[in-house]
Amino acid sequence: MTTTIQDPVARYVGGRDFRLLIGGEMRTASDGRVSEVLDPSTGDLLSTVPQGSPRDIERAVEAARAAQPAWAALGLEGRADCFARLGRLIEDNLEELAMLDAIDSGNPIRAMRLDVRISLSYVRGWPGLAQGMHGQVIPASPGGLHYTTWQPYGVVGRITAFNHPFMFAATRPLPALITGNTMVIKPAPQTPLSTLRLGELFADAFPPGVVNIVTGGAETGDALVTHRQVKRLAFTGSVPVGLLIQRRAAESGRVKNVSLELGGKNAMVVMPDVDLEAAVEGAVQGMNFEVCQGQSCGSNSRILVHSRIHDEFVSRLTERVRGIRVAAAYSEEADMGPLVSAAHRSRVHGFVERAAAEGASVVTGGDRPSGTADAGFFLAPTVLAGVTPDMEVARDEVFGPVVSVLRWDDYDEMLRIANGVELGLTASVWTRDLDLAHRTAELLDAGYVWINDSNRHYFGTPFGGTKDSGTGREESVEELYSYVEQKAVHVRLAAGAEMAARTVSLTENR
Ligand code: NAD
């Protein structure tokens, strides 16, 4: 039997009607507009999806507002039941959801199956974490009762990036939902398919209006950011759009709480005593070549290698990277797929060309890999050596399959290079010397640091960046509290008033 790579496209996308989720109903855009979705592996038109308008955002926010009091009143257990239903539906549709992501985003199918499984663990994990939320009892005055509790914000707006479409849509809303908020989600326009399919599952698992999904681009996102009834916004995306969102949120005339998960230019520090084989594998895993073509905020796109082992490291890294098989994302043979769009491919390729012009050497990759479809958006995994800290490729986020190796001799100079960029999302340190590892982790200016590891997220551990990489922390109990507003309650007890008077007289008698 012959299986062509087009089979999954026909099976999972062919003829399908993707719709927005508003108020529990699957709807077309109110003005009937649609936008085209391309297959990055072939460049072909996959489907059209509704292009949500500001009017659709308005309707979605209204539906979310109407649903919120009953959702909050359901209590944690009631909400957790909906999470459990969602978990079962995701599990039942795992292969379809993973395939939709591979087809739509270009991320390799094996990695997208893992994304769906990781998402499931988050769906199951958040209710337990929320059960541990607690207020405080504060001894503010003798005999009185002073305690804190909280209330949800109401409607939360969530805007996501293109690189992990399903995982972002399925997991990022969860801490806001479990704490009693309702949501309007706007996915990235390049990769809407799995999110719209997820909308059908949300509609089955949750009461109407609790989760609303509206696709679209900047105009649609802006309508959500500036909506006067959306006080809490959470954004995953680039620094320029993050800055714009802060500004537009303020221009709405309402005071809003905005959390931002933005870009990274992450350093992997390799000490001379390192286990080379583990570090090379860590570099490849940490670059997310085989997850999303390096299009990840957390990718270790700058590898700072000590001179003593530099040449051996580059040679082993090059050999490992040359072994990465690039193919259509939904092929089981793909270790790596195409970039998300032609425009993004050309942006990433531009970085390689300018790095070469500035004097970096392209050790492997840098162009279209052989055997891939000409019309697909493929770029071979690329290793640049001889990169110096002043080069553009060492300073700016590339967000693609391009890793830069920088050589160092002096520890303090290495730290200056590692910390000398405007982003501070992740970093990693590779050495057998644990004292040195801990000290370096302390000195690296980043929100998430691995020692002899890379790329893994540990649920419950706060993820987020310093400097321009964002504000706020996700995937942790801190994130739960970020979706509620604290409330202090003071009780003046009659007995307490007597006690207070006695305390005063005792003090006076002293
Ligand atoms: P992007 O900033 O271009 O777009 C992100 C989202 O913002 C999309 O949904 C887009 O439609 C929307 N948007 C664009 N203009 C808008 C506007 N004016 N108002 C409201 N919404 C608007 O980012 P991208 O290209 O989708 O993703 C790549 C970026 O995301 C990289 O910088 C990457 O590092 C970052 N990212 C960060 C994390 C993290 O957790 N820190 C995770 C993934 C991606």
Side-chain angles (χ1 to χ4, degrees):
M1 193 184 86
T2 358
T3 308
T4 73
I5 58 167
Q6 292 301 332
D7 289 343
V9 176
R11 175 161 179 205
Y12 294 106
V13 183
R16 197 137 163 195
D17 188 15
F18 292 94
R19 293 189 172 213
L20 312 177
L21 172 62
I22 299 177
E25 288 173 20
M26 306 308 300
R27 299 196 196 173
T28 55
S30 52
D31 57 9
R33 280 169 70 199
V34 294
S35 57
E36 294 188 337
V37 182
L38 300 185
D39 176 349
S41 297
T42 59
D44 293 344
L45 177 68
L46 274 174
S47 179
T48 59
V49 296
Q51 164 89 12
S53 66
R55 174 91 191 99
D56 294 306
I57 290 288
E58 182 65 42
R59 288 179 175 172
V61 174
E62 269 318 304
R65 274 189 84 197
Q68 198 271 330
W71 176 244
L74 206 53
L76 180 54
E77 274 190 30
R79 294 194 292 271
D81 283 346
C82 298
F83 276 51
R85 271 201 294 280
L86 179 68
R88 285 193 292 275
L89 290 169
I90 291 175
E91 196 165 25
D92 290 348
N93 295 281
L94 193 150
E95 182 63 13
E96 178 197 358
L97 295 164
M99 271 295 183
L100 281 176
D101 260 6
I103 291 166
D104 192 14
S105 70
N107 296 343
I109 178 60
R110 279 182 283 135
M112 292 305 93
R113 288 188 187 115
L114 190 60
D115 266 20
V116 182
R117 275 192 218 105
I118 291 170
S119 305
L120 255 182
S121 73
Y122 280 51
V123 173
R124 290 172 179 151
W126 276 114
L129 212 55
Q131 213 134 29
M133 289 177 80
H134 53 77
Q136 291 176 297
V137 178
I138 302 151
S141 71
L145 176 61
H146 307 275
Y147 64 93
T148 62
T149 177
W150 59 78
Q151 62 187 41
Y153 276 92
V155 180
V156 173
R158 183 33 109 168
I159 297 176
T160 58
F162 70 77
N163 53 324
H164 287 278
F166 179 79
M167 193 158 76
F168 287 161
T171 66
R172 294 304 191 255
L174 300 176
L177 289 169
I178 199 68
T179 45
N181 301 279
T182 53
M183 303 285 308
V184 177
I185 303 168
K186 193 207 80 66
Q190 302 93 327
T191 52
L193 299 188
S194 62
T195 307
L196 294 176
R197 173 68 180 116
L198 175 68
E200 297 172 3
L201 307 186
F202 269 126
D204 285 347
F206 281 61
V210 170
V211 176
N212 303 274
I213 297 174
V214 182
T215 44
E219 186 197 20
T220 318
D222 186 66
L224 184 56
V225 169
T226 54
H227 197 292
R228 292 177 64 78
Q229 300 300 338
V230 180
K231 180 164 181 182
R232 175 76 171 88
L233 286 160
F235 172 74
T236 306
S238 62
V239 174
V241 177
L243 287 169
L244 181 61
I245 282 176
Q246 280 186 322
R247 179 157 66 78
R248 293 291 292 148
E251 283 170 0
S252 72
R254 299 302 299 262
V255 174
K256 297 185 185 231
N257 177 337
V258 184
S259 56
L260 303 169
E261 285 289 337
L262 307 178
K265 189 69 202 173
N266 310 302
M268 170 178 180
V269 175
V270 187
M271 304 288 184
D273 69 341
V274 78
D275 171 346
L276 258 183
E277 197 181 327
V280 166
E281 189 54 34
V284 172
Q285 298 303 326
M287 255 312 287
N288 294 289
F289 284 120
E290 298 170 338
V291 177
C292 49
Q293 299 71 247
Q295 302 165 125
S296 170
C297 54
S299 293
N300 49 226
S301 55
R302 293 182 299 152
I303 309 191
L304 279 53
V305 186
H306 190 272
S307 269
R308 207 186 306 155
I309 52 159
H310 173 275
D311 294 354
E312 178 67 12
F313 183 92
V314 170
S315 143
R316 289 199 196 193
L317 177 66
T318 305
E319 193 188 329
R320 172 67 177 83
V321 167
R322 283 192 181 133
I324 295 174
R325 296 168 305 171
V326 186
Y330 32 86
S331 143
E332 298 294 337
E333 278 78 53
D335 296 324
M336 192 177 123
L339 300 197
V340 73
S341 66
H344 189 57
R345 184 198 180 279
S346 132
R347 181 183 171 276
V348 173
H349 191 238
F351 272 99
V352 178
E353 287 182 324
R354 291 189 295 277
E358 284 186 86
S361 63
V362 183
V363 186
T364 186
D367 226 323
R368 184 175 291 282
S370 58
T372 54
D374 281 349
F377 313 139
F378 293 95
L379 183 66
T382 302
V383 177
L384 301 177
V387 174
T388 52
D390 51 307
M391 290 181 185
E392 176 203 46
V393 76
R395 288 182 281 106
D396 295 346
E397 186 183 41
V398 176
F399 214 62
V402 180
V403 66
S404 299
V405 183
L406 293 85
R407 180 195 288 268
W408 62 276
D409 284 296
D410 176 72
Y411 180 82
D412 291 335
E413 176 60 9
M414 176 277 290
L415 274 180
R416 267 193 295 279
I417 297 169
N419 291 335
V421 294
E422 284 166 2
L423 299 169
L425 190 57
T426 72
S428 67
V429 190
W430 293 76
T431 174
R432 296 176 208 257
D433 179 341
L434 266 187
D435 284 343
L436 180 63
H438 283 294
R439 182 154 59 92
T440 310
E442 187 77 29
L443 294 172
L444 286 168
D445 193 350
Y448 209 83
V449 182
W450 292 278
I451 293 176
N452 294 327
D453 196 3
S454 57
N455 194 33
R456 279 173 230 271
H457 290 222
Y458 296 92
F459 181 63
T461 309
F463 184 87
T466 63
K467 298 189 272 187
D468 286 351
S469 286
T471 59
R473 294 293 179 270
E474 297 194 333
E475 304 176 9
S476 58
V477 80
E478 287 79 359
E479 188 178 10
L480 288 169
Y481 288 110
S482 83
Y483 284 109
V484 294
E485 295 189 286
Q486 292 255 351
K487 178 183 287 185
V489 181
H490 304 275
V491 188
R492 184 165 181 259
L493 299 168
E498 271 171 39
M499 260 176 81
R502 237 181 290 141
T503 313
V504 171
S505 70
L506 276 175
T507 326
E508 279 167 357
N509 287 342
R510 231 180 250 160

